[in-house]
Amino acid sequence: MVDEFDLIKRLFAPLTMGRPEALGLGDDVALIPGPAGRQWAVTKDAMAAGVHFFPDDPPELIARKLIRVNLSDLAAKGAEPQFLLLATCFPHDVEPDWLDRFASGLKKDCDLFKVAVIGGDTIATPGPLVLSLTAVGMVPEGAALLRSSACSGDHVWLSGTVGDAAFGLLVAQGEGKSLSETDASFLLDRYRLPQPRVALGPRLRGLAHASMDVSDGLLGDLGHICRASKVGAEIEAERLPLSAAARAALAAGLGDGLTTIVAGGDDYEILFTAAPAAEDDLTALSADLGIGLARIGRIVPGEGVTLVDKEGRVIKSGRGSYNHFSGGRA
Amino acid sequence: MVDEFDLIKRLFAPLTMGRPEALGLGDDVALIPGPAGRQWAVTKDAMAAGVHFFPDDPPELIARKLIRVNLSDLAAKGAEPQFLLLATCFPHDVEPDWLDRFASGLKKDCDLFKVAVIGGDTIATPGPLVLSLTAVGMVPEGAALLRSSACSGDHVWLSGTVGDAAFGLLVAQGEGKSLSETDASFLLDRYRLPQPRVALGPRLRGLAHASMDVSDGLLGDLGHICRASKVGAEIEAERLPLSAAARAALAAGLGDGLTTIVAGGDDYEILFTAAPAAEDDLTALSADLGIGLARIGRIVPGEGVTLVDKEGRVIKSGRGSYNHFSGGRA
């Protein structure tokens, strides 16, 4: 069993050759020079059947999730998405109808998010479907929102709601039979079709300090920000923004309750920190975009992420961030 | 069974949204704006164990081939390589020693070619090893060497020698027992460790018209140039540059003889066209770099690629370009 973070730190970090564009492989994108005072933010993700999605998921949704996961990375960096490069490794027996539906999913999201596929590769593999997407977004020079710029005293903010996708995964796995059909399908949708915050991300430039998207779990991802920024954080459990469906799932005893919410992945919301003085602007921005922005805690001196109740007492959480090499996810 | 080219044309081409950066998905790279009068050439390839390399190939060589295949694309476009983004999809049971050796292969070629890994993703898959590399190179604006700029009357040129890698693959598959150890190991090396023409490519800017690297087979790849440029081509079999080892393999009856040479893949040489007036400059460049440049034919009006003998009579070839979906390669 291999640890992804150890692998990156020990084996891949020396490959950056000290180039600043790599951000030490410690962020969600690389930043390379673009035209006229702008930079290209470049991110690359891979997804495999049986790990990141179910092999029998609708092909349209697999395609759209692939795009959205990458656009979420760009959004959290404050970048406007522009280009995609797509590598598809199809099983030998892939059906033409499957391919048509996969391509129609890609087309739908290219139209929706105004991004263009400008290159890639298509191969056949004897194994399961593997997809890799490189996404390129534009950001004014020096304006990208990094993991490393959180300051002690910052508020911690989260867009949308947290935990829906983790509960949605449990629903996909056949749990949550006692949930209403509406709640179950809401949670399942949140797992299967993330909503990358492309409208929000660029508007956070100049307001947010550190920022990243929540893909591996709220606490784990905030831990990344804390390590990169050399600070700690306290999250108030009572302030976590939950959907009605997530509350119903909690009440129904789905998963590990609060742990599922704070350590489950796939939310693809933006987790960011901002100076307390930015609160009014953020409240106005939330109203303007119609996207919830919840103040969920604060950055403190020290290290590590603590979950506290409203009296400030530490709540223990059983699970850390999801690690891709520690077991199957889907 | 799926046809890669049909897939790209029918399903993926509409995803370019008409953006010129994509070059209609008809070339080896996309070109996006860079700083100060330059462009980034971006290419992305995927490789799978059992298709593009043998699962038990030395991990250092797998890593280096991955890098070199992509640098070859950049070189043939006249671009200087700068950055890599690497997605690795490792089998769950990958050994730490394998990973160390894979990373040491990456490091060796990052040092050799002065490229830096600036991002990527690492996942575990239940299937075979799959790798995807995005390579980014720099080229002066408008100076990239495309597939579409061959002119009737151009000479057709090829760097290095052709057919070695195709014979090397046969050697890897256990054929060629009658070859000398020197010849067999030369051919095997040419298959396993391509030499991307990174020194040559940028020097061809302003001299070459159309250009691409030979990865799928000489005739098939020249066919791509012809289709993109709306011209035909005649190749003189007698002019094909062959290594001593390839001549020995031919004499030993390895593979399908001439067909293996002109339709086998993995040469990673630069195939380009140039005006007849460029011949002296190209001869001087060849001497300067110590890289063979052979004039192997000419661009003609019409369409299609013809292989002719020295009297100009057409030689029939049994096999077209390798198609990734038409069967296993390694």
Side-chain angles (χ1 to χ4, degrees), chain B residues 20-302:
Chain B
E21 293 86 349
L23 304 174
L25 301 185
D27 215 300
D28 303 290
V29 296
L31 291 171
I32 67 174
R38 287 168 290 177
Q39 287 174 302
W40 295 113
V42 189
T43 184
K44 179 169 185 164
D45 273 324
M47 286 172 47
V51 183
H52 302 85
F53 53 85
F54 295 95
D56 59 354
D57 275 348
E60 297 88 346
L61 285 185
I62 295 173
R64 302 179 79 184
K65 184 162 183 178
L66 176 70
I67 289 182
R68 289 163 180 236
V69 163
N70 281 280
L71 296 192
S72 177
D73 274 325
L74 295 182
K77 302 293 114 179
E80 282 133 22
Q82 300 259 332
F83 304 120
L84 307 174
L85 292 98
L86 171 66
T88 50
C89 311
F90 293 121
H92 287 282
D93 60 354
V94 63
E95 297 286 340
D97 175 62
W98 194 100
L99 291 170
D100 286 346
R101 293 175 59 194
F102 179 76
S104 89
L106 294 175
K107 184 70 169 70
K108 201 167 278 184
D109 273 2
C110 283
D111 287 338
L112 187 61
F113 296 110
K114 297 183 175 46
V115 290
V117 173
I118 59 168
D121 194 16
T122 296
I123 66 168
T125 123
L129 175 65
V130 175
L131 303 165
S132 166
L133 197 73
T134 305
V136 182
M138 187 161 259
V139 69
E141 198 172 335
L145 304 171
L146 305 181
R147 293 184 181 186
S148 53
S149 7
C151 307
S152 183
D154 276 1
H155 289 158
V156 178
W157 293 81
L158 183 69
S159 69
T161 54
V162 60
D164 300 326
F167 285 128
L169 171 57
L170 294 172
V171 170
Q173 288 167 338
E175 297 190 44
K177 298 290 185 207
S178 68
L179 291 175
S180 75
E181 205 173 308
T182 314
D183 286 343
S185 102
F186 173 87
L187 297 172
L188 195 59
D189 272 5
R190 287 276 286 165
Y191 170 66
R192 285 205 172 149
L193 195 61
Q195 304 293 335
R197 298 300 190 180
V198 292
L200 174 61
R203 299 284 296 273
L204 291 176
R205 298 192 304 240
L207 282 175
H209 287 164
S211 172
M212 72 181 290
D213 70 331
V214 181
S215 56
D216 289 350
L218 177 65
L219 294 193
D221 286 332
L222 187 54
H224 292 313
I225 286 179
C226 286
R227 266 188 301 280
S229 300
K230 299 187 172 60
V231 294
E234 271 181 19
I235 297 300
E236 288 178 57
E238 301 271 337
R239 287 181 166 274
L240 293 174
L242 302 184
S243 67
R247 289 184 195 281
L250 263 185
L254 208 60
D256 298 323
L258 184 59
T259 300
T260 297
I261 289 169
V262 297
D266 289 316
D267 286 314
Y268 299 103
E269 295 292 350
I270 301 186
L271 172 69
F272 62 97
T273 81
E279 182 155 2
D280 287 351
D281 285 343
L282 288 167
T283 306
L285 179 61
S286 169
D288 186 33
L289 295 175
I291 297 173
L293 293 180
R295 180 159 68 75
I296 61 170
R298 60 199 188 96
I299 297 295
V300 296

Side-chain angles (χ1 to χ4, degrees), chain A residues 40-41 43 71 74 80-85 114-118 133-138, chain B residues 16 19-22 30-33:
Chain A
W40 295 114
T43 185
L71 296 192
L74 295 182
E80 283 133 21
Q82 299 259 333
F83 304 121
L84 307 175
L85 292 98
K114 297 183 176 45
V115 290
V117 173
I118 59 168
L133 197 73
T134 305
V136 182
M138 186 161 260
Chain B
T16 63
R19 294 290 300 247
E21 293 86 349
L31 291 171
I32 67 174

